[in-house]
Amino acid sequence: MEAYLGIGSNLGDRWAHLRTALAGLVVLDAGVVVSPVYETAPVGGPASQGPHLNCVARIDTELSPRELLGIAQRLEAEAGRVREERWGPRTLDVDILLYEGFTSDDPELTVPHPRMYERAFVLAPLEDLAASLVPGDWHTRVAVDRDSLRRVGVLLGPFTTVAAGRARHGDSGGPASGPGC
Ligand code: GSY
């Protein structure tokens, strides 16, 4: 089954958290395709928190939606995620956005993700992977300015980073270490 996951980080080594999460999906033997990575202004939560790196991954998986949720939660825990503040900074977020042929309104596993169509940090990378899954009018419906959503790099092959733009303190894989690090 085809599933789309929203992946983000705004705490610690953000590039490393994304790479580790993607590697954790690859070992499941799920074909993984990753969107470009965007740096995005935090939506909700304390104003003092830093920007996120966000991307979307498409996987081809035999896991059930609930098994996939378990994997997503395990990857978040392995990244040291502590669920303290609902909209607060986080080392890693792995959200199930869409799962082929499946919908659910269970609060623990709501699919499609209940807020995905209001979030530019989801819609922009999802559009890069699968434009047909994104409403054509989202650019006018969802307020986005250039500073709140910038494409900053791509994760290649075994998740080598090729980044553009500024690295942030704590990041390993930004342009400070150059392409291919
Ligand atoms: O559910 C996603 C976590 N999250 C994010 C995020 O990933 N990116 C941005 N830009 N803002 C966010 N607010 C929350 S909560």
Side-chain angles (χ1 to χ4, degrees):
M1 293 292 168
E2 199 169 81
Y4 288 83
L5 304 176
I7 301 175
S9 169
N10 77 333
L11 197 61
D13 188 336
R14 302 172 303 163
W15 286 100
H17 292 313
L18 296 194
R19 277 196 297 267
T20 305
L22 292 165
L25 296 173
V26 168
V27 296
L28 298 175
D29 213 15
V32 181
V33 181
V34 190
S35 74
V37 177
Y38 288 79
E39 185 160 61
T40 65
V43 174
S48 57
Q49 65 181 314
H52 294 249
L53 292 181
N54 284 110
C55 64
V56 168
R58 176 172 63 224
I59 65 171
D60 192 4
T61 182
E62 297 303 315
L63 294 172
S64 70
R66 198 145 291 273
E67 287 169 331
L68 188 56
L69 176 66
I71 298 288
Q73 290 175 340
R74 179 172 61 71
L75 292 171
E76 290 176 348
E78 285 172 1
R81 166 90 179 260
V82 182
R83 290 173 184 276
E84 274 173 357
E85 205 176 350
R86 182 162 183 225
W87 302 95
R90 64 271 317 275
T91 50
L92 183 67
D93 232 308
V94 181
D95 291 332
I96 301 177
L97 303 173
L98 298 165
Y99 186 105
E100 186 180 346
F102 176 80
T103 59
S104 161
D105 56 10
D106 176 341
E108 234 216 306
L109 178 64
T110 309
V111 181
H113 189 285
R115 290 172 293 285
M116 63 177 278
Y117 295 110
E118 299 143 30
R119 294 174 156 185
F121 66 81
V122 170
L123 294 170
L126 181 58
E127 183 173 53
D128 292 332
L129 281 188
S132 63
L133 296 179
V134 168
D137 65 349
W138 80 266
H139 291 268
T140 50
R141 219 171 25 78
V142 179
V144 188
D145 65 55
R146 209 173 341 161
D147 285 344
S148 71
L149 185 75
R150 283 187 310 122
R151 200 186 275 199
V152 291
V154 289
L155 291 160
L156 300 176
F159 310 114
T160 304
T161 307
V162 178
R166 276 170 295 120
R168 196 167 148 247
H169 180 69
D171 280 338
S172 61
S177 26
C181 62

